[in-house]
Amino acid sequence: MVSMTGVTTRHGRAAAAALTGWFVAWFVIMAWNGGGSWHFFVQGAQALADTDDAIRGGLHTYAAAPILQIGPVALLASLAAMPAGAVGALAIWQVLGAVAGVVVLWQIRQIGATARPDLLHDGRLDRRVAAAAVFFVPVWLFLAVGVTHVDDVLALLFTVLALRAAVAGRPVLTGALLGLAVDAKPWALPFGCLLLLLGGRRAVLSGAATMAAVIAAAWLPFFLADPATSNALHFTIANTELSALRVLGVHDPRTPPWDRPAQAVLGTVMALLAWRRGRWAAMVLLAVGARVVLDPGTNKYYVAGVVVGAALWDVLGSRAELPWWTTTACLGLFTARWVPMPDTAHGWLTLLYVLACAALLFTPVRATVFSDRSGPGCEATDMRIARRLANKVPEVTVYFWIIKVLATTVGETAADLLNMNLGLGLTWTTVVVAVLTAGALTLQFRSGRYVPWRYWLVVILISVAGTLVTDNLVDNFGVPLEVTTAVFAVALAVTFALWYRSERTLSIHTITTTRRESFYWAAILFTFALGTAAGDLLAERINLGYLPSAAIFAAVIAVIAIAFRAGVLGAVFAFWAAYVLTRPLGASLGDWLSQSRDNGGLGLGTVGPSVVFLLASVALVAYLTRTRVDVAEDRSAVLAPVNARTYR
């Protein structure tokens, strides 16, 4: 990761470049059909500017259109860009919103530099920010670019800036920024609890007075000009089956009148409890959690507030090295919304996530690391010696590559078999495979050594999962193969960059800790997804055909092998390059065998190739289990020492 104090290293620059590519790729994806909610801002900005309309314009805007749950600061910000036209203004705010996400991450890092100096000396702070950014970026860009909700973007930006000001002990600036957050979006009111981090009574009162003045300056003119502005306080929205409200027993078709006030009260209480319990870094997460647990399930962009709060906790408060809270928010609350499942499952996921957040209030505080302005301190990291394991992956032998190609081919044909031949459909096939893969990974991680059947079961299932990830993006969401190929290439590069930055090696001979194994399997998943996209791009979009595509990939792998034998390529680079390319090789072979003759295949269908290749894989795995010819030697201590200290 880049050292944000201004000193960079070669690896830091590489990691920064990978993160930049990740960011740009997601910006392109979200901008493809972006601006889904921009019409509300166009409507609101035009109404606010129409001061001649004494019924629907100017200070009567909220009275006439209570559906505009957008603060005046956000409307004014949108209006400022309108000289460029509605489309031009959209582009301006998509770019500004994306930049705001970078600012949020930078501010989190700067808060950490002040409040958590214990993370600075060995680069752990930068690694935490970079790891959280991987999962923060897609969700934030959906908010800022995909739907372009300027009000939420500004509210979250002002809140993080206010937290930075509170850490610096600047009460007036803290209050002004919190006031602007509420002026952008009223649901930001519970963030006012951040004023307590200022410490002394005078500072808190000064910040609170400033916050109240800024809020009044923006909202009071509307209420004085038209008392019907209060209609906006009672506006309700649809309560969908996806809602956590439904799980809590609220089955009304629209949100009850107490829903918005309850969100504000519950968020304030949660933030206050976090402060009292010394969990200041979780105050934003818990306040937003109160919002989403009472969310009617209508708007996916609400999760952006959760990932901001989760990133704050992962970077500043958690004892874990990996950003588990940001990751689970991204996958469980955001990505899951595009994975069809029973509607109530989404509500349960939201409820369980918020309950897990609330559990932070009851875990013991270990130490105080914040300044004396914080009151009770956030927990410091409790270090222990990393758990050393035997190497968890096999030696790279000829059997390794044979089973890898077989597993890859099974992944391609089995995905089609489940999807089309068995009639599960792409959605339910994805759900079934995801559950099976999670179970197999659990078995693999629980093992302390390489067990052939466990390892290769995970490889086969991830092979199927990688195919389904690409198929879902292309078939269900209409993302072009060119874009998916680029996105997965960037994702793989980011994974490698973070892995190397953390462990100083990408060698598969040193998968001896849980953290290294996590990086390993993440890289494997992205290689399968990338290989599927690249293979389909070459065979179908460029129309080379399946067999010629397989021949091209086989030839490139042969060139890599020759270059490695000649000493031109290093072992690590050669291995991963070949590993990536065996995926499109196997996928092209699978399609060639299964597709009809009219489509350039042999017309064998999906059942026969799937069964034959699976049985061949099972036979080879049984042979390896018996002979143990691929059991790696314990070379971890020589090739790459494990960090002496790691975090729980």
Side-chain angles (χ1 to χ4, degrees):
M1 181 59 193
V2 176
S3 173
M4 298 188 185
T5 58
V7 180
T8 60
T9 64
R10 177 168 59 87
H11 304 303
R13 289 191 294 271
L19 281 175
T20 300
W22 179 248
F23 188 92
V24 171
W26 276 106
F27 183 93
V28 172
I29 291 174
M30 293 302 175
W32 198 266
N33 291 304
S37 298
W38 181 244
H39 59 284
F40 289 115
F41 294 88
V42 174
Q43 175 190 348
Q46 290 173 345
L48 189 63
D50 190 7
T51 55
D52 294 331
D53 189 339
I55 298 177
R56 293 180 296 274
L59 295 177
H60 303 277
T61 297
Y62 295 108
I67 192 175
L68 294 176
Q69 301 287 293
I70 302 168
V73 165
L75 290 183
L76 287 171
S78 304
L79 181 61
M82 286 301 166
V87 175
L90 169 61
I92 289 171
W93 270 107
Q94 285 178 321
V95 172
L96 290 177
V99 171
V102 177
V103 173
V104 166
L105 289 171
W106 169 256
Q107 292 301 314
I108 291 174
R109 196 271 175 192
Q110 295 303 94
I111 295 168
T114 301
R116 294 296 308 272
D118 58 301
L119 298 176
L120 272 175
H121 70 282
D122 58 357
R124 284 182 288 128
L125 177 61
D126 290 339
R127 290 200 296 272
R128 287 189 177 204
V129 174
V134 173
F135 298 96
F136 171 92
V137 164
V139 186
W140 181 270
L141 290 181
F142 177 77
L143 167 69
V145 181
V147 295
T148 320
H149 255 277
V150 177
D151 49 352
D152 286 77
V153 167
L154 292 177
L156 293 168
L157 174 63
F158 288 139
T159 297
V160 175
L161 290 171
L163 180 55
R164 171 81 185 282
V167 169
R170 304 177 66 181
V172 174
L173 180 59
T174 303
L177 289 168
L178 289 171
L180 287 172
V182 177
D183 292 343
K185 192 75 169 182
W187 68 260
L189 189 61
F191 296 146
C193 296
L194 295 175
L195 290 168
L196 294 169
L197 300 181
L198 292 166
R201 177 179 297 180
R202 176 177 294 183
V204 173
L205 291 176
S206 177
T210 304
M211 179 180 176
V214 172
I215 293 173
W219 286 102
L220 195 57
F222 292 93
F223 285 93
L224 293 178
D226 194 334
T229 297
S230 60
N231 292 339
L233 300 176
H234 310 298
F235 184 77
T236 63
I237 58 179
N239 181 26
T240 71
E241 295 291 338
L242 305 171
S243 168
L245 281 173
R246 298 272 183 169
V247 177
L248 295 172
V250 180
H251 298 287
D252 298 342
R254 296 188 71 83
T255 52
W258 51 261
D259 187 55
R260 293 291 175 85
Q263 289 180 18
V265 172
L266 181 60
T268 301
V269 170
M270 297 281 279
L272 287 173
L273 287 173
W275 173 72
R276 290 295 303 170
R277 288 287 299 155
R279 298 295 189 272
W280 63 272
M283 290 175 73
V284 172
L285 175 60
L286 290 168
V288 178
R291 183 193 189 196
V292 297
V293 80
L294 297 177
D295 162 33
T298 304
N299 299 311
K300 294 184 280 291
Y301 67 87
Y302 287 179
V303 183
V306 179
V307 296
V308 170
L312 281 165
W313 175 253
D314 278 327
V315 173
L316 305 173
S318 175
R319 289 183 289 132
E321 279 285 318
L322 297 177
W324 296 115
W325 296 90
T326 312
T327 303
T328 50
C330 175
L331 299 180
L333 304 186
F334 179 71
T335 306
R337 291 292 291 269
W338 279 273
V339 178
M341 61 180 73
D343 288 341
T344 55
H346 296 284
W348 276 106
L349 285 173
T350 301
L351 179 61
L352 291 173
Y353 184 87
V354 175
L355 288 174
C357 293
L360 294 173
L361 298 172
F362 305 102
T363 55
V365 179
R366 300 299 180 111
T368 299
V369 298
F370 199 45
S371 69
D372 58 1
R373 292 186 299 273
S374 69
C378 179
E379 60 183 325
T381 49
D382 180 19
M383 291 177 284
R384 62 185 173 90
I385 301 298
R387 184 166 67 103
R388 297 298 295 269
L389 308 169
N391 200 30
K392 297 288 293 293
V393 302
E395 284 284 85
V396 180
T397 64
V398 65
Y399 302 107
F400 178 93
W401 293 113
I402 292 173
I403 301 177
K404 171 65 168 60
V405 174
L406 291 174
T408 297
T409 308
V410 168
E412 186 71 20
T413 57
D416 292 338
L417 173 65
L418 294 172
N419 179 16
M420 293 179 286
N421 293 64
L422 298 184
L424 288 181
L426 188 56
T427 296
W428 280 107
T429 299
T430 303
V431 173
V432 170
V433 172
V435 172
L436 293 175
T437 304
L441 278 170
T442 300
L443 290 174
Q444 172 66 17
F445 275 97
R446 291 182 63 181
S447 175
R449 59 186 177 86
Y450 163 63
V451 178
W453 73 267
R454 292 188 181 188
Y455 174 87
W456 287 109
L457 176 62
V458 174
V459 171
I460 291 174
L461 287 172
I462 287 185
S463 175
V464 181
T467 299
L468 292 170
V469 168
T470 299
D471 289 347
N472 271 284
L473 288 173
V474 174
D475 297 338
N476 280 354
F477 304 113
V479 180
L481 282 169
E482 296 86 348
V483 176
T484 56
T485 301
V487 167
F488 289 128
V490 171
L492 183 61
V494 169
T495 302
F496 283 145
L498 294 176
W499 183 356
Y500 189 84
R501 181 66 181 85
S502 173
E503 303 299 320
R504 298 299 183 187
T505 180
L506 299 178
S507 172
I508 66 164
H509 298 297
T510 59
I511 310 301
T512 55
T513 67
T514 301
R515 181 167 60 188
R516 290 182 181 183
E517 190 175 10
S518 299
F519 280 123
Y520 177 82
W521 288 116
I524 297 301
L525 174 61
F526 287 132
T527 61
F528 280 123
L530 171 61
T532 299
D536 289 348
L537 177 64
L538 198 60
E540 299 175 7
R541 187 62 55 84
I542 302 178
N543 202 28
L544 284 181
Y546 299 117
L547 188 58
S549 297
I552 290 173
F553 290 120
V556 176
I557 293 171
V559 170
I560 292 172
I562 293 171
F564 167 66
R565 291 294 183 184
V568 176
L569 292 179
V572 173
F573 179 87
F575 170 80
W576 284 111
Y579 200 100
V580 170
L581 290 169
T582 53
R583 172 56 182 174
L585 170 63
S588 297
L589 287 174
D591 284 333
W592 178 60
L593 292 170
S594 62
Q595 294 297 318
S596 66
R597 294 182 180 274
D598 293 338
N599 291 329
L602 291 181
L604 299 179
T606 57
V607 177
S610 296
V611 172
V612 171
F613 280 82
L614 183 60
L615 289 177
S617 300
V618 170
L620 283 173
V621 170
Y623 172 76
L624 294 177
T625 302
R626 181 177 179 82
T627 62
R628 298 179 63 81
V629 297
D630 65 337
V631 175
E633 300 174 4
D634 186 9
R635 296 182 281 177
S636 58
V638 177
L639 292 180
V642 178
N643 295 336
R645 299 188 298 181
T646 189
Y647 297 89
R648 289 179 184 153

